[in-house]
Amino acid sequence: MGLCVNGAVPGEATKKDENLKRGNWGNQIEFVLTSVGYAVGLGNVWRFPYLCYRNGGGAFMFPYFIMLVFCGIPLFFMELSFGQFASQGCLGVWRVSPIFKGVGYGMMVVSTYIGIYYNVVICIAFYYFFASMNRVLPWTYCNNLWNTDNCAGVLSPNSSVSFNLSSQQSLLNLTLGLNQTLKRTSPSEEYWRRHVLKISEDIGDFGEVRLPLLGCLGVSWLVVFLCLIRGVKSSGKVVYFTATFPYVVLTILFIRGITLDGAINGILYYLTPQWDKILHAKVWGDAASQIFYSLGCAWGGLITMASYNKFHNNCYRDSIIISITNCATSVYAGFVIFSILGFMATHLGVDVSEVADHGPGLAFVAYPEALTLLPISPLWSILFFFMLILLGLGTQFCLLETLVTAVVDEIGNDWIIRWKTLVTLGVAIIGFLLGIPLTTQAGIYWLLLMDNYAASFSLVIISCIMCIAVMYIYGHRKYFKDIEMMLGFPPPLFFQICWRFISPGIIFFILIFTVIQYRPIQYNDYLYPDWAITIGFLMALSSVICIPLYAIFKIWCSEGDTFLQRLKNAVKPSKDWGPALQEHRTGRYAQMSSTRSESNPEAQPLNPEKMKEDLSLTIQGSNGQAHTQDSKV
């Protein structure tokens, strides 16, 4: 018959998927590419290059790679091994110590916040992508309805679109004119603020819903849903393109950038070491924070993606490959960004620092303006925003799959697995509805509020508690033996030391640094009111509060006559903790096999008698679609 089982060709189902109930990745390349797409996101392009030049250029690379080695890779390896060993999402893994299941709920809350506003950023990139499909980019000139008298463009509407770069005299006159302008705003900034956003004066003034952005938001969520319609079986195929093509675009833009006049100035500005700054605590704090947030630690996505690995997959190797790829991408993106910004600064006659920016300001104002100077500027603009879309989607896939997997694993019955696609659709619809306020005229204020508070110090606290729970509550010796059972070798001594002492210490340092460096949020010259900042702190608190609330609930529900007995029962691993499949439950886990088999019959090892009984039954794939198994399988 022509039907597939779990995305495999007929006859390969039992060879491909160890876990017939949840499914596995089609192959290991899919997992690596998905994890690279998850870790490599918008921050690699619009945050790291800015941090690098602000914190000593090439000197910043030293603390950055130190933090990668002692904090980034160890935490990445811990989360991958955690999820792979239990074959469970961010909730199910806490069978290791049920009292800490609130950490999993905290990860879900964080992923929900990030998923809501991250897709709004993708939808804005979609808007610019579609707007770039014109003969002339709409933010090139100042002769549009939305422009003000303060607008001063780099190009004249009467000049050739291709812009004669050798006309030094006209550039000199333009520079003089710009310097004499009291309050110059660029066409790209006015396009961004007055046309795309139609930004209001205050965060409480929502105004109207920007229908073009709402439409693009619908497109964003539709794309994400379609790519995840069959779980990791469909997203694993999509990442072959979404995780690799951004590197093609980066390379094209890099080659174009370094051939421009002034590009070397931008690159030197980006890389020139300022070794005196290496003694500043802020530089080390920024390096640690960037590594931590860039790799996606404590979001729940790494645990979720690793849970679909086969049990004996070498996640140690994967964690090193993915972490180094992520950081190398950040460095590479810096060359792409600053070569273009150096070219722009040269032709405006200003210092690179005056055109350098980060966040939305870089992606939607500074870089698009620089692209207007290039011949065939719509082509470069289309490529740039297509790259941003793909970078965003790679992260968004994992955020949505994290939430869906957590719900499906938690309920765990056959019905929810069969209809996993409907769960994915439901989560996507809810995410779309919650994103609508961010498409209003005050949307950018709320987007930045969520970005600054919803996923900041709460992530650090969640990660720190996870390290403590696994290493000290569950026990580092038991966890090292678990990894040895899974990989065939214990974690190297370096990782054992990092997990127990160094990484938690660095995480605590990041937390202290975040508190000391805290400044109330502002957007350009707009200061957020106190009530908005309070909402921001409540969002941050909402994920952390899950941890003590669930701990209290678990202690209350645990068996025992005294508080200490209840606490002890809530802390110790549950009976079904360990490898998901019976065939992998060896050593001390073999003693719990009978109890495990009764509570989860799907985890029983396959045997000929069982296979004969099940030939006419339905095998459930990770996509939740039912396929009748042919007797030839």
Side-chain angles (χ1 to χ4, degrees):
M1 58 190 293
L3 294 175
C4 301
V5 181
N6 279 342
V9 297
E12 290 188 358
T14 56
K15 294 180 182 178
K16 278 206 135 183
D17 286 352
E18 290 180 339
N19 194 326
L20 296 178
K21 182 178 179 180
R22 295 180 87 248
N24 298 107
W25 295 104
N27 56 60
Q28 213 44 42
I29 296 177
E30 292 182 9
F31 166 68
V32 172
L33 288 178
T34 300
S35 299
V36 167
Y38 174 64
V40 176
L42 298 173
N44 296 71
V45 174
W46 75 20
R47 179 166 169 79
F48 173 81
Y50 179 81
L51 279 180
C52 192
Y53 100 82
R54 283 289 300 269
N55 287 295
F60 181 71
M61 302 291 184
F62 179 73
Y64 182 72
F65 285 107
I66 290 290
M67 292 300 176
L68 169 67
V69 171
F70 287 96
C71 183
I73 296 178
L75 288 177
F76 207 90
F77 180 29
M78 173 180 278
E79 292 203 28
L80 291 189
S81 59
F82 199 20
Q84 181 175 308
F85 182 77
S87 295
Q88 290 289 314
C90 61
L91 291 181
V93 291
W94 291 105
R95 295 168 182 170
V96 69
S97 185
I99 195 174
F100 290 102
K101 193 174 183 178
V103 174
Y105 284 109
M107 289 177 173
M108 286 186 66
V109 172
V110 168
S111 290
T112 300
Y113 285 136
I114 298 174
I116 291 169
Y117 77 77
Y118 213 83
N119 229 15
V120 175
V121 177
I122 297 173
C123 96
I124 298 173
F126 264 114
Y127 184 94
Y128 271 81
F129 175 73
F130 294 136
S132 300
M133 295 179 181
N134 287 293
R135 191 175 64 88
V136 179
L137 294 175
W139 55 86
T140 303
Y141 304 127
C142 290
N143 59 347
N144 303 288
L145 295 176
W146 57 81
N147 292 126
T148 65
D149 295 336
N150 292 326
C151 181
V154 176
L155 300 177
S156 167
N158 298 322
S159 67
S160 171
V161 177
S162 61
F163 190 61
N164 185 1
L165 296 178
S166 63
S167 181
Q168 298 298 327
Q169 184 61 44
S170 61
L171 286 171
L172 178 60
N173 294 337
L174 172 64
T175 303
L176 292 174
L178 292 178
N179 291 337
Q180 292 170 1
T181 304
L182 295 178
K183 188 180 179 182
R184 184 243 178 194
T185 56
S186 66
S188 61
E189 183 177 353
E190 294 199 349
Y191 180 79
W192 163 246
R193 294 176 63 89
R194 297 176 58 82
H195 182 67
V196 178
L197 303 178
K198 288 191 177 178
I199 190 168
S200 62
E201 296 295 326
D202 185 74
I203 188 173
D205 182 12
F206 284 93
E208 64 181 15
V209 173
R210 297 287 297 119
L211 293 180
L213 292 182
L214 183 64
C216 290
L217 182 63
V219 171
S220 300
W221 277 109
L222 180 63
V223 170
V224 173
F225 168 70
L226 291 177
C227 292
L228 287 173
I229 195 167
R230 299 181 60 244
V232 296
K233 293 299 179 184
S234 54
S235 67
K237 303 299 183 290
V238 174
V239 293
Y240 280 106
F241 178 72
T242 60
T244 57
F245 194 71
Y247 291 97
V248 176
V249 178
L250 277 174
T251 302
I252 293 172
L253 293 175
F254 171 70
I255 294 172
R256 184 68 189 101
I258 60 175
T259 59
L260 297 171
D261 294 336
I264 190 64
N265 297 332
I267 292 174
L268 288 175
Y269 199 83
Y270 166 53
L271 287 181
T272 301
Q274 301 174 41
W275 293 108
D276 57 311
K277 288 193 175 184
I278 209 170
L279 300 176
H280 298 175
K282 185 178 185 306
V283 174
W284 289 85
D286 280 343
S289 300
Q290 176 63 14
I291 283 289
F292 183 82
Y293 295 126
S294 176
L295 289 173
C297 299
W299 291 16
L302 298 177
I303 293 174
T304 301
M305 295 303 105
S307 72
Y308 292 103
N309 278 333
K310 294 182 179 179
F311 184 72
H312 293 297
N313 170 63
N314 189 346
C315 58
Y316 167 65
R317 171 202 61 203
D318 295 342
S319 62
I320 295 176
I321 293 173
I322 297 164
S323 301
I324 292 177
T325 300
N326 173 71
C327 296
T329 304
S330 297
V331 176
Y332 188 37
F335 286 95
V336 176
I337 297 299
F338 274 90
S339 61
I340 297 286
L341 293 182
F343 159 72
M344 180 180 175
T346 297
H347 287 281
L348 285 178
V350 298
D351 192 68
V352 179
S353 61
E354 295 187 36
V355 296
D357 204 346
H358 66 104
L362 171 67
F364 302 119
V365 179
Y367 205 83
E369 182 179 17
L371 293 177
T372 62
L373 298 172
L374 299 176
I376 330 174
S377 55
L379 171 64
W380 310 113
S381 183
I382 289 172
L383 285 174
F384 175 71
F385 288 110
F386 189 52
M387 179 189 69
L388 289 187
I389 291 168
L390 294 181
L391 288 174
L393 287 177
T395 303
Q396 191 68 18
F397 291 157
C398 297
L399 290 171
L400 185 59
E401 185 63 39
T402 297
L403 299 175
V404 173
T405 297
V407 171
V408 172
D409 283 351
E410 186 66 9
I411 298 174
N413 57 39
D414 290 339
W415 184 91
I416 198 75
I417 294 171
R418 183 179 301 113
W419 297 105
K420 182 179 177 182
T421 301
L422 289 183
V423 178
T424 306
L425 178 61
V427 174
I429 291 174
I430 293 172
F432 170 74
L433 295 176
L434 293 176
I436 291 177
L438 301 185
T439 63
T440 62
Q441 291 177 266
I444 189 65
Y445 298 123
W446 290 98
L447 189 152
L448 293 173
L449 185 73
M450 294 178 72
D451 185 41
N452 277 268
Y453 290 94
S456 56
F457 70 87
S458 54
L459 284 175
V460 183
I461 294 173
I462 288 172
S463 186
C464 191
I465 293 176
M466 185 179 71
C467 283
I468 293 171
V470 174
M471 288 294 106
Y472 294 99
I473 306 300
Y474 176 61
H476 63 276
R477 289 186 179 88
K478 287 193 285 187
Y479 193 68
F480 297 160
K481 289 181 179 177
D482 290 343
I483 291 180
E484 186 173 8
M485 179 195 306
M486 180 173 65
L487 301 183
F489 58 88
L493 180 62
F494 172 77
F495 285 88
Q496 296 182 21
I497 295 173
C498 284
W499 284 346
R500 294 183 62 194
F501 308 111
I502 300 176
S503 296
I506 293 176
I507 294 172
F508 186 72
F509 164 71
I510 296 173
L511 179 61
I512 299 300
F513 171 78
T514 304
V515 173
I516 293 175
Q517 291 291 322
Y518 171 75
R519 298 289 183 275
I521 182 177
Q522 66 180 75
Y523 176 55
N524 294 336
D525 296 328
Y526 174 77
L527 296 175
Y528 280 65
D530 291 339
W531 64 265
I533 294 176
T534 303
I535 291 176
F537 276 112
L538 289 176
M539 284 192 290
L541 191 63
S542 62
S543 57
V544 177
I545 201 69
C546 295
I547 301 173
L549 287 181
Y550 188 86
I552 294 170
F553 167 76
K554 189 62 184 178
I555 293 172
W556 178 265
C557 295
S558 296
E559 297 177 354
D561 298 326
T562 66
F563 174 78
L564 287 178
Q565 288 177 344
R566 289 172 179 265
L567 179 62
K568 183 178 179 181
N569 288 328
V571 166
K572 70 180 182 181
S574 62
K575 293 180 180 179
D576 53 356
W577 160 250
L581 299 184
Q582 196 69 39
E583 61 211 69
H584 298 140
R585 296 179 72 83
T586 59
R588 68 179 186 275
Y589 294 105
Q591 301 172 1
M592 299 182 286
S593 60
S594 58
T595 306
R596 179 76 174 98
S597 298
E598 293 173 5
S599 62
N600 189 3
E602 291 87 345
Q604 295 177 1
L606 297 176
N607 55 67
E609 289 77 10
K610 182 70 177 174
M611 284 297 293
K612 290 177 182 178
E613 293 172 7
D614 288 348
L615 284 177
S616 60
L617 296 180
T618 298
I619 289 182
Q620 301 299 337
S622 67
N623 58 354
Q625 300 295 322
H627 299 284
T628 303
Q629 188 176 8
D630 193 286
S631 60
K632 295 179 181 178
V633 175

